[in-house]
Amino acid sequence: MRGGDRYDVVIIGGGQAGPSLAHGLAKAGRRAALAERKDLGGSCVNFGCTPTKAAIASARVAHDARRARDFGLEVPTVTVDFPAVLRRARDILMESRRGLEQWFEGSENPALLRGHARLEGRDGRDFRVQVGDTAVTAGQVVIDSAERPPRKPPG
């Protein structure tokens, strides 16, 4: 188990807000780390907004092409290659995810910590955070796991 790093702020979750917050804090002079278990971008980039809007854009083009006559144009046939639509949506999401990954490449501040993160308790005034095999401490922790809570609180 590696450990000992101390951050001013550890952000748990690499969704919509996490990467921007980490970079904003670093730019403001705070030592920041972003902990992400799987893919940067959260639900929006990976299976929600981004691929959905890409597929909807393809549907819109097909709709407009089918209405070409209304605009004085002849488009003989419009067919939808649904596997190609899905490939395009996946390519767009992968490009978004790669862009987020590249934003952290070679950066020590903010740091990208890979692994499942959990709060382990306090170490004086700091929080102890376990991220995969790495133990770190932080003065503040931001939980950015907006898609769903890890488990339902008791009660």
Side-chain angles (χ1 to χ4, degrees), residues 5-6 15 19-20 22 24-26 32 51-52 58 77 88-89 92 95 109 111 143 154:
D5 286 336
R6 189 204 181 272
S20 295
L25 289 166
T52 299
S58 294
T77 61
R88 177 180 173 274
I92 291 169
E95 184 178 331
N109 191 27
I143 299 175

Side-chain angles (χ1 to χ4, degrees), residues 10-23 33-50 96-97 99-101 103-104 112-115 117 142-148:
V10 169
I11 302 151
I12 298 174
Q16 284 294 107
S20 295
L21 178 59
H23 281 274
L34 176 74
E36 175 54 54
R37 177 177 54 87
K38 194 172 178 196
D39 298 319
L40 290 177
S43 60
C44 187
V45 165
N46 291 292
F47 56 84
C49 312
T50 301
S96 296
R97 191 187 298 165
L100 289 168
E101 297 276 348
W103 204 13
F104 283 93
L112 178 58
L113 307 176
R114 289 302 198 156
V142 175
I143 299 175
D144 181 33
S145 61
E147 180 191 346
R148 63 179 168 78

Side-chain angles (χ1 to χ4, degrees), residues 5-125:
D5 286 336
R6 189 204 181 272
Y7 297 93
D8 296 320
V9 182
V10 169
I11 302 151
I12 298 174
Q16 284 294 107
S20 295
L21 178 59
H23 281 274
L25 289 166
K27 190 174 182 179
R30 311 273 309 272
R31 188 155 189 254
L34 176 74
E36 175 54 54
R37 177 177 54 87
K38 194 172 178 196
D39 298 319
L40 290 177
S43 60
C44 187
V45 165
N46 291 292
F47 56 84
C49 312
T50 301
T52 299
K53 287 179 181 176
I56 288 170
S58 294
R60 180 65 192 193
V61 170
H63 171 76
D64 287 346
R66 287 183 178 122
R67 291 191 56 227
R69 183 168 295 219
D70 297 345
F71 297 91
L73 304 171
E74 268 311 308
V75 176
T77 61
V78 177
T79 58
V80 175
D81 179 351
F82 196 62
V85 169
L86 294 180
R87 275 192 304 277
R88 177 180 173 274
R90 177 144 180 85
D91 289 347
I92 291 169
L93 87 83
M94 293 303 290
E95 184 178 331
S96 296
R97 191 187 298 165
R98 272 192 301 275
L100 289 168
E101 297 276 348
Q102 289 170 349
W103 204 13
F104 283 93
E105 281 180 10
S107 173
E108 289 187 29
N109 191 27
L112 178 58
L113 307 176
R114 289 302 198 156
H116 179 82
R118 67 181 179 276
L119 295 170
E120 293 281 313
R122 299 296 289 243
D123 189 4
R125 296 181 68 130

